[in-house]
Amino acid sequence: MKIKVQYSTMIVNNLEESVHFYRDVLGFTEGYHVDLPNGARITIMNSEDGASVELIEGKMFETGLYSIGTDVDDLDETLKHLKENGYEPITPIVPTTVGRQTFVLDPNGVRICLIEHSEEYKKKWS
């Protein structure tokens, strides 16, 4: 089982203002942008060392840190391991544009997003 922290997800009030801060003040580069059907907008900001910040502007969420995003090599194996250690996912496994994901809470109530990327995504971005 491999788990790698990939990014932190932040809910922002103003996406353009946040992109400006991470790009022009902190030196991140823009990765990609997605406009969702529900009106939410997402921009991935990449740091020089490979970690990213996912910025989401959407009225359905409270502003602030939303979750820590992790890349897992086998979501089913990871969930089995978590359950064996007393942790249950807080959402069902859902398909995404990059694979499939679910969330679990750490002992402090912080949401951890567990993402298993599709082979197509891995080929495109590796």
Side-chain angles (χ1 to χ4, degrees), residues 53-125:
V53 175
E54 178 182 38
L55 303 172
I56 300 177
E57 180 186 282
K59 305 258 186 263
M60 66 287 296
F61 304 110
E62 281 188 46
T63 301
L65 179 64
Y66 182 76
S67 68
I68 303 297
T70 64
D71 186 7
V72 301
D73 61 338
D74 185 324
L75 187 55
D76 297 319
E77 178 186 327
T78 301
L79 288 175
K80 180 181 176 202
H81 177 76
L82 286 165
K83 289 176 182 182
E84 288 170 350
N85 285 279
Y87 293 91
E88 292 287 331
I90 60 170
T91 63
I93 296 173
V94 296
T96 69
T97 58
V98 298
R100 59 191 194 126
Q101 74 180 31
T102 189
F103 288 85
V104 65
L105 296 177
D106 84 350
N108 302 292
V110 175
R111 282 183 293 272
I112 307 297
C113 183
L114 305 168
I115 304 170
E116 178 186 273
H117 288 98
S118 67
E119 290 303 317
E120 294 148 0
Y121 175 86
K122 290 176 191 175
K123 287 177 189 173
K124 182 177 180 181
W125 296 102

Side-chain angles (χ1 to χ4, degrees), residues 23-70:
R23 182 188 60 222
D24 302 332
V25 177
L26 295 184
F28 285 58
T29 58
E30 288 182 59
Y32 61 91
H33 180 82
V34 178
D35 290 315
L36 299 176
N38 64 4
R41 302 181 311 142
I42 301 172
T43 298
I44 303 296
M45 303 299 296
N46 298 314
S47 70
E48 194 172 290
D49 69 357
S52 301
V53 175
E54 178 182 38
L55 303 172
I56 300 177
E57 180 186 282
K59 305 258 186 263
M60 66 287 296
F61 304 110
E62 281 188 46
T63 301
L65 179 64
Y66 182 76
S67 68
I68 303 297
T70 64

